[in-house]
Amino acid sequence: MDGSSGLNSIYGINVIVAVGSVDGLAGAAACVRNARDTDVQLVFTQAFQVNTIDISKWPPESNVGFIDLGVNNEGPTPNRQLTVDFVKRIYEMGHKISFIADEHGKTAWKDVLEECGHSKEELSIRPKNRGEKYGSSCAILMKAFGESVDAHTKALLRDGNQGDQMNFDTPFGRIFNNAIKSNMSDPTRRPYIVRCMAQQEIPDVKIQGWMDEYAEMEVNLPLILASREDIGNEISVYNGSIGRHDATAVFRDAYKMSSIVVLNGTNVFLGGRLQMGISIATNRKDLNVLEIIQKAGITSGGMAAKANFAMEDKELAIDVIRAAAAHL
Ligand SMILES: [Mn+2]
């Protein structure tokens, strides 16, 4: 495959389905910049959520590209059928998959395409295995684009490749990472940022505002960590109401002090709306905090490693978690 065929394929693209990582965002921006259709539809998803994508909104006979999207055969609930059904739906609706720039496993993609009556030979850019020469989606795109693309495109792909290795300390990496992390669940941010950064090197006022929110979170992180209260049984309580914060960063650092972390005054999704509540999280694999809290009759959402609930349930939640932790 030479550079020009990869680039030709991008030129005719109508829909990009990408994962919302820095690798996915930078790769999508590089593709938007080099596409003929400036209104390329941008769909951000995760491997385990492709069943929720509404294909009916896509332009007829779209050329579709996947970026950083692996087959859903890993993670806590592997179910590759989800990916098979998604690919089948795309073809049934009259669209065509033009390229798959993904490094999560080429054999898995080959098998899915064949199960859907297609083959990787139809792709202008083919999936790779991480650990091969092309360790990120941006690296795969860089190779496919070749030397003919402009400096802006190359910079996007270079920084996206760094982001895939968790290095966000690059001009574009910092913009994508910081503007997204201050509100991971806002569905409007990713398409907006990708379209903007496809065309310019510096963030606009809106994106700068999102980055400033992240800067505020970084300032608050040590203050929240300093609020630690050790209540025994490997449980620490932190005061998140100090200010805007990245809860994931709080938990990551708090696990260095104790295996069970209670974060008071943090944004949680409960009953379909975002509200101020409490999260209890653990890095212990033998403790399903969500199950324990739900069994106590507390309305709670989240996952095995992290439960979200309302402020008023704090005492009961801590009691049941303490009891469970003490018995394990
Ligand atoms: Mn990646």
Side-chain angles (χ1 to χ4, degrees):
M1 171 178 48
D2 68 4
S4 60
S5 77
L7 196 54
N8 284 341
S9 147
I10 300 297
Y11 187 67
I13 210 79
N14 311 103
V15 177
I16 292 170
V17 181
V19 166
S21 60
V22 170
D23 190 24
L25 294 165
C31 291
V32 167
R33 183 173 179 83
N34 290 280
R36 174 186 50 209
D37 177 3
T38 48
D39 289 328
V40 177
Q41 290 217 15
L42 295 170
V43 179
F44 289 98
T45 188
Q46 305 198 58
F48 60 89
Q49 289 175 334
V50 291
N51 55 322
T52 64
I53 296 172
D54 183 3
I55 292 177
S56 70
K57 287 180 189 157
W58 294 359
E61 296 176 31
S62 279
N63 290 312
V64 185
F66 293 171
I67 302 175
D68 211 25
L69 181 69
V71 173
N72 185 43
N73 57 4
E74 290 176 0
T77 53
N79 173 13
R80 69 183 285 282
Q81 191 61 38
L82 220 64
T83 311
V84 171
D85 292 344
F86 176 57
V87 169
K88 279 188 178 159
R89 272 199 295 143
I90 290 174
Y91 284 110
E92 278 164 15
M93 299 288 282
H95 311 301
K96 174 177 173 276
I97 299 173
S98 298
F99 72 85
I100 301 179
D102 174 59
E103 77 283 14
H104 294 95
K106 60 182 176 186
T107 312
W109 270 123
K110 174 180 173 285
D111 293 347
V112 165
L113 289 169
E114 283 173 5
E115 196 170 330
C116 299
H118 290 268
S119 95
K120 68 179 172 56
E121 314 304 322
E122 298 166 32
L123 305 172
S124 60
I125 301 170
R126 296 177 194 148
K128 299 275 190 288
N129 289 333
R130 177 175 274 139
E132 286 180 341
K133 241 193 278 178
Y134 313 109
S136 68
S137 299
C138 281
I140 295 169
L141 289 168
M142 209 182 304
K143 164 72 175 146
F145 284 10
E147 279 304 310
S148 56
V149 288
D150 65 6
H152 185 103
T153 305
K154 285 178 186 165
L156 280 166
L157 295 174
R158 182 195 61 213
D159 294 357
N161 179 51
Q162 286 297 311
D164 198 70
Q165 293 150 53
M166 305 301 281
N167 173 20
F168 307 121
D169 193 15
T170 59
F172 284 118
R174 203 173 301 118
I175 296 168
F176 288 125
N177 181 65
N178 296 9
I180 290 301
K181 283 234 176 109
S182 48
N183 188 349
M184 298 286 278
S185 59
D186 180 346
T188 65
R189 285 194 188 190
R190 288 181 179 85
Y192 183 89
I193 295 165
V194 163
R195 279 188 213 288
C196 180
M197 303 321 296
Q199 306 307 336
Q200 59 188 66
E201 285 173 20
I202 50 165
D204 68 5
V205 173
K206 197 164 171 175
I207 295 173
Q208 186 60 55
W210 294 334
M211 293 173 72
D212 292 346
E213 288 176 13
Y214 187 73
E216 193 186 325
M217 290 177 165
E218 287 188 307
V219 169
N220 287 335
L221 178 62
L223 305 177
I224 293 171
L225 290 170
S227 74
R228 174 173 181 253
E229 192 190 336
D230 182 348
I231 60 167
N233 298 92
E234 274 288 298
I235 307 171
S236 300
V237 180
Y238 294 85
N239 179 13
S241 64
I242 284 171
R244 200 191 285 272
H245 54 269
D246 175 358
T248 306
V250 173
F251 292 126
R252 180 197 62 211
D253 290 351
Y255 289 148
K256 291 170 194 158
M257 303 301 289
S258 71
S259 62
I260 302 170
V261 176
V262 180
L263 182 57
N264 269 324
T266 192
N267 281 336
V268 295
F269 265 114
L270 268 185
R273 70 184 182 91
L274 200 60
Q275 54 180 284
M276 192 64 98
I278 298 177
S279 294
I280 291 188
T282 184
N283 61 355
R284 281 172 62 167
K285 299 289 175 238
D286 60 343
L287 206 58
N288 184 333
V289 290
L290 181 61
E291 190 179 75
I292 293 161
I293 285 172
Q294 286 181 334
K295 272 190 180 157
I298 298 168
T299 303
S300 176
M303 52 193 155
K306 181 175 163 236
N308 306 317
F309 51 90
M311 294 285 216
E312 70 233 33
D313 295 318
K314 181 185 173 187
E315 303 307 327
L316 177 56
I318 289 176
D319 283 351
V320 292
I321 292 293
R322 187 196 292 282
H327 279 96
L328 283 167

